[in-house]
Amino acid sequence: MRMKLKEICERLDGDLSGDGNIEITGVSGIKEALPNQITFVANPKYLAAIATTQAGAIIIGRGVNGNGKPTICVENPYWAFVKVLEMFAWDKNHRALPGVHETAILGKNVKLGERVAIQAFAYIADNVEIGDDTVIQPFVYIGEGTKIGADGLIYPHVSIREEVTIGNRVIIHCGAVIGSDGFGFAPVSNRHHKIPQIGTVVIEDDVEIGANTTIDRATLAETLIKRGTKLDNLVQIAHNVVIGEDCCLAAQVGIAGSTTLGDRVNIAGHGGAAGHLTLGEDSVVYAKSAVTKDMPAGSHLSGFPARPHKQELRIHAATRRLPELLPEFAKLQKRVAELEAKIQEPEDED
């Protein structure tokens, strides 16, 4: 793909400086960029790299000197760079020739929208509905009665079980499993008896689900992933969980059953939450932390069990001083023992 710099500038609604007719064929970081690529500077620590980068053009913020290179000046260089990435990545990653590959298997009463692509060896069960412009890549399984919206992208080896509902513009990466049985067993006479999981999974618009992530179906109602939420690779969402809008869950996060996350909750890698609790909106859970009780909106949590982040930092600071404090504590113990011995000595007789 090739675009003139002035065309990119128009799409970004920025201010152009330099030759707008140069052709841009790709996007790269400021240190790796080649003369036919565009890059950006959003972090002040990379300003010095403007003088040495080979990039053909740079996206910069207000008040930044482009050092004589062609630039596009915008209010938010990082967001503008994301938009440029979309321009160059769309054809390569998302577009596919519409139609059903001869090796794909479609069940009865399957409804396909316009320009849908069903690629090799995909299996689409009975009564499935797939919206316009959605791409189903090879070796995908879609169970009976599932509904997938428009403009979606389902990567290879994704398994979507029966009666699942997926919204528009949803991206699901390789190996993800949507609608697997929730982990429910009833202990009777020292044995675990499976509880049928007859609920469903609902994934709203603009959600992205990472590779090998699993989202379990509810026992009775629905496991719900709300609009705009992004799940990283290897995330586990248990049955009956509700994830709010615009949440971000990093790799290896685990959310136990029947827990509710408010809108815009961020959980860092290897963090998680126990079951049957509520984590309020705009909360942040730091890496390797586990929430074990209800937490209000705006909480910043870390540790195990998770507690307010500033409190956890103070605990860690105190813990690091233990090697120094223990010898002092031993000395104090010895002095106390000596004082107690003196107090207990009998008085001299006259």
Side-chain angles (χ1 to χ4, degrees):
M1 182 177 180
R2 295 174 177 270
M3 294 184 67
K4 289 187 176 181
L5 185 61
K6 62 183 181 182
E7 295 172 341
I8 297 174
C9 186
E10 289 174 2
R11 293 198 190 186
L12 298 180
D13 194 24
D15 296 324
L16 177 64
S17 176
D19 184 4
N21 289 314
I22 63 173
E23 286 194 335
I24 301 297
T25 61
V27 189
S28 188
I30 194 163
K31 293 181 179 180
E32 302 82 16
L34 300 175
N36 59 346
Q37 294 178 324
I38 189 170
T39 189
F40 79 112
V41 175
N43 191 320
K45 72 178 184 179
Y46 292 110
L47 289 174
I50 292 176
T52 57
T53 183
Q54 297 184 56
I58 309 172
I59 300 170
I60 59 174
R62 306 296 179 189
V64 175
N65 186 348
N67 201 41
K69 292 184 177 292
T71 60
I72 298 174
C73 187
V74 295
E75 292 294 335
N76 187 334
Y78 184 71
W79 178 234
F81 187 69
V82 171
K83 291 181 179 179
V84 174
L85 282 172
E86 290 176 346
M87 296 176 200
F88 282 88
W90 182 256
D91 286 337
K92 181 171 65 176
N93 292 333
H94 292 70
R95 292 301 88 199
L97 291 175
V100 179
H101 193 274
E102 60 182 8
T103 62
I105 299 175
L106 271 61
K108 300 176 182 178
N109 302 316
V110 172
K111 297 179 181 178
L112 302 181
E114 297 182 0
R115 299 173 300 279
V116 170
I118 309 292
Q119 297 183 351
F121 299 104
Y123 181 91
I124 315 297
D126 297 346
N127 304 309
V128 168
E129 298 181 15
I130 300 176
D132 298 347
D133 297 301
T134 288
V135 176
I136 308 297
Q137 292 197 351
F139 299 102
V140 169
Y141 172 88
I142 301 177
E144 183 172 354
T146 286
K147 295 178 174 61
I148 300 176
D151 214 19
L153 177 59
I154 314 298
Y155 280 101
H157 295 286
V158 168
S159 295
I160 302 172
R161 288 267 304 271
E162 66 279 359
E163 305 293 341
V164 168
T165 301
I166 296 174
N168 301 317
R169 299 174 300 279
V170 171
I171 300 172
I172 306 178
H173 289 273
C174 300
V177 179
I178 314 299
S180 49
D181 282 2
F183 192 67
F185 298 89
V188 179
S189 301
N190 296 321
R191 298 187 65 182
H192 298 290
H193 296 267
K194 184 176 179 64
I195 301 171
Q197 306 291 297
I198 62 173
T200 187
V201 174
V202 175
I203 298 172
E204 294 185 348
D205 296 346
D206 300 304
V207 169
E208 184 158 351
I209 298 167
N212 295 318
T213 283
T214 56
I215 303 175
D216 291 347
R217 69 194 315 110
T219 305
L220 295 172
E222 62 185 32
T223 302
L224 175 60
I225 313 297
K226 291 188 179 181
R227 181 205 57 79
T229 281
K230 315 300 181 187
L231 306 181
D232 197 1
N233 305 329
L234 297 167
V235 170
Q236 160 66 16
I237 306 298
H239 56 186
N240 299 91
V241 166
V242 176
I243 307 291
E245 295 184 357
D246 296 308
C247 295
C248 283
L249 276 58
Q252 298 185 345
V253 163
I255 308 297
S258 300
T259 283
T260 297
L261 272 57
D263 297 342
R264 299 174 301 280
V265 169
N266 293 329
I267 303 182
H270 218 250
H276 300 272
L277 58 81
T278 298
L279 179 57
E281 63 184 25
D282 297 304
S283 293
V284 177
V285 179
Y286 291 80
K288 294 184 178 294
S289 302
V291 182
T292 58
K293 61 182 180 180
D294 292 348
M295 289 293 179
S299 297
H300 282 235
L301 307 167
S302 62
F304 185 91
R307 53 178 62 88
H309 184 55
K310 290 183 178 179
Q311 180 185 0
E312 180 70 6
L313 290 177
R314 290 196 296 270
I315 291 171
H316 276 287
T319 302
R320 284 194 294 270
R321 294 187 59 197
L322 283 177
E324 301 170 5
L325 293 174
L326 284 175
E328 296 297 322
F329 181 71
K331 291 178 182 178
L332 286 173
Q333 282 184 308
K334 183 178 180 181
R335 291 181 62 185
V336 168
E338 292 172 349
L339 288 172
E340 288 178 340
K342 287 183 179 180
I343 292 172
Q344 294 173 2
E345 289 178 356
E347 296 181 359
D348 295 334
E349 296 181 358
D350 293 336

